[in-house]
Amino acid sequence: MTATISDMLLDWYDAHARPLPWRSPPGTTPPDPYRVWLAEVMLQQTTTAAVAPYFTKFTQTWPTVEDLAAASEEDVMAAWAGLGYYSRARNLVKCAAEVATRGGFPETEAELRKLPGLGAYTAAAVAAIAFGQRAVVVDANVERVVSRLFAIREPLPGSRPLIREATDSITPDERAGDFAQAMMDLGATICTARDARCLLCPLSIRCEGRAQGNPLELPVKAKKKAKPSRTGTAFWIERDGPDGAQVWLVKRPGTGLLGAMRALPDDGWSARGDGHGEAPLSGAWKGAGVVRHGFTHFDIELGVAVHAGGAAQPEGEGQWWPVETIEDAGLPTLFAKAARLVLSARD
C-alpha cells in the first residue's frame, strides 16, 4: 500500500521535530492549551527565535491562564514590548480573563473562535495541537509548502481558498496536531522561502512543484505596494530625582498604534513625508539625531529632541522613570531606539 502524504510527513516529524518550549514531543500527551495559545499568538508574524525568550519570560511570570488573567494590562504590555503588533497583547489580557471566567479553554475550533483575538488560524492550531481535534491549520509556512506540493499558481492572497482545500485533503483524522506542527517545521527548515531542499524533503516524490522543476517560483505573490513614510519628533525630558536622573514617560491611548504602552512624549507623528525626522526646534531643545523604524503599513523617521535647559515642565499625565532602569519600562521598539540614541550620545 502506498504511504499517504500525512504518513510520510509524520514519520519525518517523529525523527526531526524541533524541540520548542511550547511543544510536547511527537506522539506524547498534548501540551497545556494555555501554552499552545500563548505561543501561537506570539508567533503571528514573528519568528520562532524572537518568540522563545518572550514565551519563557511570560510563562515564568504567569504560569497559568488564571495568573495572566489577574495581571494588569500595563504589566503585560511592558513584558510584550519589542514583539510588535501590540493589539495581540491587549487581546491576551481580554482572552485570558474570559477563559478564566469559563474555567478553561473550550476544546472545539468553533468555540475557540468566539474568544477575543482568536482568528481562524489560532483557533485551528489550539484545537488540533492542544485538544487533538481534526482542524485544518494554515500559516505562512503551510501556505508555501502546500503551494509547492500541489503547484498552486494563483497568486496570494487569492489562492488561499485553494491552499486551504488542498491542506484539508491531506490532514489526517489522527495526530492532526502533530501533522500541523510537522508542516510548520517542514516550511521552516526544509521548504523555506529562499530555498527548496528537495533532497532532504520527505514529500519530494509527491511534490508537483519539484516535478515541474521550479518550486522556488511558488507560492506566487502579488506585488507589494510601496509603504508610505512618516516623520515625527519624540521628546526626552529629564530631571534630577532623589535617586538619580529621571525621564518623563507617558502612557499612550488605550486603542490605536502602540496603544496603552509607555512611551516618550511625541508630536503625534506628522505625515509630512519630507525625507527626514528632524523637526525645527526652539532654543530650549537640542536635536539628538534620528531613529528609523518600520511598522506594517508605514515607515517612520523619528527625530529625538532633548531639553537643553534642564527639565521642562511636562504636560498631561505621565510618570518620572529612573533613567538607569529605562530598559525595564517596556518601551515599544521605536521609543526604545530613541532612548538608546540619547543615552549612547551621552556615553
Side-chain angles (χ1 to χ4, degrees), residues 281-301:
L281 299 172
S282 69
W285 294 93
K286 180 180 179 181
V290 175
V291 294
R292 296 168 178 83
H293 188 67
F295 290 100
T296 306
H297 300 298
F298 67 91
D299 295 325
I300 185 169
E301 292 189 344

Side-chain angles (χ1 to χ4, degrees), residues 167-199:
T167 308
D168 191 3
S169 73
I170 59 175
T171 299
D173 293 330
E174 302 292 331
R175 296 187 68 187
D178 281 349
F179 177 81
Q181 293 175 109
M183 290 288 278
M184 297 172 196
D185 279 10
L186 191 68
T189 63
I190 302 294
C191 194
T192 69
R194 296 184 178 181
D195 196 7
R197 302 166 68 191
C198 298
L199 294 179

Side-chain angles (χ1 to χ4, degrees), residues 126-216:
V126 174
I129 298 169
F131 295 112
Q133 303 281 338
R134 186 189 183 279
V136 181
V137 183
V138 182
D139 70 352
N141 281 319
V142 177
E143 283 183 347
R144 181 170 58 257
V145 171
V146 171
S147 292
R148 292 173 180 175
L149 188 61
F150 290 87
I152 296 172
R153 297 195 169 276
E154 182 178 341
L156 286 167
S159 61
R160 282 180 176 144
L162 293 175
I163 293 171
R164 179 176 176 80
E165 182 180 347
T167 308
D168 191 3
S169 73
I170 59 175
T171 299
D173 293 330
E174 302 292 331
R175 296 187 68 187
D178 281 349
F179 177 81
Q181 293 175 109
M183 290 288 278
M184 297 172 196
D185 279 10
L186 191 68
T189 63
I190 302 294
C191 194
T192 69
R194 296 184 178 181
D195 196 7
R197 302 166 68 191
C198 298
L199 294 179
L200 299 176
C201 179
L203 306 182
S204 60
I205 61 172
R206 304 288 290 273
C207 181
E208 294 180 28
R210 183 190 184 219
Q212 294 175 9
N214 49 11
L216 286 177

